[in-house]
Amino acid sequence: MTRQRIELAAASPRAVSLITELEDVLRREGLCDDRLRELARIRVAQLNGCAYFLALRSAEAIRLGERQERLNELAGWRDSPRFTDSERAALALAETMTKLPADGVPDDVYGVAENLLGPYNLANLIMAVSVANALDRMCLAARIAPPQ
């Protein structure tokens, strides 16, 4: 039997409100390419095993015009010809930030992302991936079920 988990919004409504607001700000003012943001956030949910946000972020990507064929190959992006160099750099950074090695993000991963995305997009990608990881982990700790 699964132990009942706390509802985070009930326990700390202001904190949940602030992280939700941060996510909204990043969506409105963040990356120039909304689909790139969602690809990175979907990859984070895949790596974290968060079905709830995997479903939500995939639906958002489709709404933004992303193709299902690319989403089907996202977990194997390194071997797929469907992704651009900029997308590959963003996905490599998202994966590295999610699996975070002891010595942090390697200079080569960071440098490629910075060169291909530019400072503005890189900064916003770092923030979007950080918030996605936080939300996934909150979701998994509280065991929030995916939408039906």
Side-chain angles (χ1 to χ4, degrees):
M1 177 158 199
T2 302
R3 179 183 168 97
Q4 181 67 32
R5 301 294 172 108
I6 193 165
E7 186 176 327
L8 297 177
S12 187
R14 181 72 178 133
V16 171
S17 174
L18 286 171
I19 199 163
T20 302
E21 184 180 339
L22 176 57
E23 188 176 42
D24 289 342
V25 167
L26 289 170
R27 189 176 296 119
R28 285 190 315 270
E29 300 174 9
L31 286 162
C32 295
D33 183 348
D34 290 335
R35 288 187 309 167
L36 177 60
R37 178 195 65 239
E38 291 309 314
L39 286 175
R41 289 165 22 104
I42 292 165
R43 186 65 187 127
V44 167
Q46 288 174 336
L47 292 169
N48 287 329
C50 186
Y52 179 82
F53 280 114
L54 183 55
L56 289 180
R57 293 170 187 158
S58 295
E60 175 67 4
I62 293 291
R63 188 190 71 73
L64 291 168
E66 187 55 74
R67 295 187 325 270
Q68 186 64 53
E69 301 82 32
R70 285 172 30 103
L71 294 181
N72 293 346
E73 294 181 13
L74 185 56
W77 63 268
R78 283 182 176 82
D79 297 322
S80 173
R82 296 184 191 270
F83 299 95
T84 67
D85 289 343
S86 294
E87 291 167 339
R88 290 174 188 286
L91 292 168
L93 182 67
E95 284 188 3
T96 303
M97 288 179 64
T98 301
K99 297 176 183 178
L100 204 55
D103 56 347
V105 175
D107 286 343
D108 60 330
V109 172
Y110 185 92
V112 169
E114 184 177 35
N115 287 337
L116 291 172
L117 300 174
Y120 177 83
N121 284 320
L122 176 61
N124 281 285
L125 177 64
I126 290 169
M127 290 185 282
V129 168
S130 297
V131 171
N133 270 300
L135 288 168
D136 287 357
R137 289 167 181 156
M138 289 165 52
C139 179
L140 291 167
R143 289 200 181 130
I144 298 171
Q148 298 294 322

